[in-house]
Amino acid sequence: MVAPLHMPDERRPPNQGPKRAAHNRDALVAAAREVFAEHGLDAPLSAIARRAGVGQGVLYRHFPDRASVASAVLEENVRQIEAAAVVEGARLAGLLGVLTWHLTESAAFVGLLHAHGVVGRPDDLPYAMALSARVERALRDHLGPGHPLACGSDLMLAVAMVSGAVTGPTRAARERRAVSAWRLLGVEVGPVRAFDTGPRPSTG
């Protein structure tokens, strides 16, 4: 009998299990944002797995159902805005640019800012409201004295109005409409961009 071949230790690839899991999760969240934006929150989960380049088993390992996928997208949207808010020298205009990027990229985020819930079920509403409140806190901390959105609920009303204007067949078209809406409200908005929050601990 021929002895089995063993790869020398120095030639064995390192165990990238945790790194691969984190990579797959990030890819799934990014794919879900794109698929939801293109096809709505009822898009098949199989389309998300295909866009991310993984099997459906990998998707379900991270996200057992549609609500958990949408929640992950929403959490990442809000997390980016919160991270942008604590950068030294952050200004409201820059934060609105980050928020506007998420509005143009994420159908789920638009729904959140209208407080419709994550996937439209009544029991999702408290969760959606809590995330919306986090967005408001991040923005409100940068409202200067006398800012036109500083009064009462004007800030989130303006955000909801802009989110309602975010329509169009392409991301570029949605961005143009969002920026135009801010301009009509007389509010300065910075460059429309994502905010890199850096690596996140693996969830396995």
Side-chain angles (χ1 to χ4, degrees):
M1 177 182 293
V2 178
L5 293 175
H6 293 284
M7 182 182 292
D9 288 343
E10 64 270 20
R11 294 180 58 193
R12 288 178 184 159
N15 183 352
Q16 293 188 336
K19 284 186 178 180
R20 173 55 58 184
H23 171 81
N24 286 343
R25 187 185 188 284
D26 289 345
L28 285 164
V29 172
R33 178 184 289 117
E34 294 173 1
V35 171
F36 286 154
E38 294 168 9
H39 305 290
L41 291 175
D42 293 327
L45 297 185
S46 58
I48 295 171
R50 283 196 302 273
R51 182 73 60 94
V54 303
Q56 280 191 257
V58 174
L59 184 149
Y60 286 117
R61 193 177 308 142
H62 290 281
F63 306 112
D65 54 30
R66 183 179 305 277
S68 61
V69 180
S71 296
V73 174
L74 292 174
E75 179 63 36
E76 180 62 19
N77 292 339
V78 174
R79 201 169 75 94
Q80 283 200 23
I81 293 167
E82 290 176 326
V86 298
V87 171
E88 185 175 356
R91 297 177 59 246
L92 180 66
L95 296 182
L96 292 179
V98 175
L99 180 144
T100 301
W101 185 88
H102 286 289
L103 289 178
T104 63
E105 292 285 338
S106 178
F109 193 52
V110 171
L112 162 69
L113 293 174
H114 284 284
H116 290 161
V118 178
V119 289
R121 299 188 320 237
D123 56 325
D124 292 320
L125 187 58
Y127 172 75
M129 296 282 286
L131 287 181
S132 185
R134 284 168 56 187
V135 172
E136 180 174 9
R137 282 195 299 272
L139 298 177
R140 191 169 292 282
D141 286 346
H142 294 275
L143 282 174
H147 192 281
L149 299 182
C151 180
S153 61
D154 287 359
L155 172 62
M156 294 309 286
L157 178 59
V159 171
M161 290 170 66
V162 172
S163 71
V166 179
T167 59
T170 65
R171 195 209 62 77
R174 295 191 294 271
E175 180 180 321
R176 284 195 298 271
R177 287 181 61 87
V179 171
S180 295
W182 285 120
R183 185 172 62 249
L184 288 172
L185 290 171
V187 176
E188 178 190 1
V189 59
V192 177
R193 62 184 180 87
F195 184 82
D196 183 7
T197 58
R200 180 172 46 254
S202 169
T203 56

